[in-house]
Amino acid sequence: MQEDFDDRLKALLPALNTFGFPSLNDTELRPQTTIDVESLLADNTRILVHRRG
């Protein structure tokens, strides 16, 4: 996942450069992907009760 995101961001860098970003201090953009499991599951998790019989 991280590698795919890195590649997509690198493709956007030329467009960002036209707006003057990164700045003059040679800042390098390096993406970092994090997954917050709690928020990922917050609206997507259900507990079902199955009655036998």
Side-chain angles (χ1 to χ4, degrees):
M1 181 184 293
Q2 181 68 49
E3 186 175 328
D4 182 55
F5 187 75
D6 291 350
D7 291 341
R8 291 174 188 261
L9 182 64
K10 286 177 187 175
L12 290 175
L13 289 178
L16 292 173
N17 284 333
T18 62
F19 293 107
F21 194 85
S23 63
L24 297 175
N25 62 1
D26 296 329
T27 303
E28 178 184 356
L29 293 178
R30 294 183 358 187
Q32 179 179 1
T33 303
T34 58
I35 296 176
D36 180 359
V37 175
E38 182 178 347
S39 68
L40 181 67
L41 296 177
D43 294 323
N44 299 305
T45 303
R46 308 266 190 278
I47 297 175
L48 302 176
V49 178
H50 178 75
R51 295 184 184 177
R52 297 181 198 179

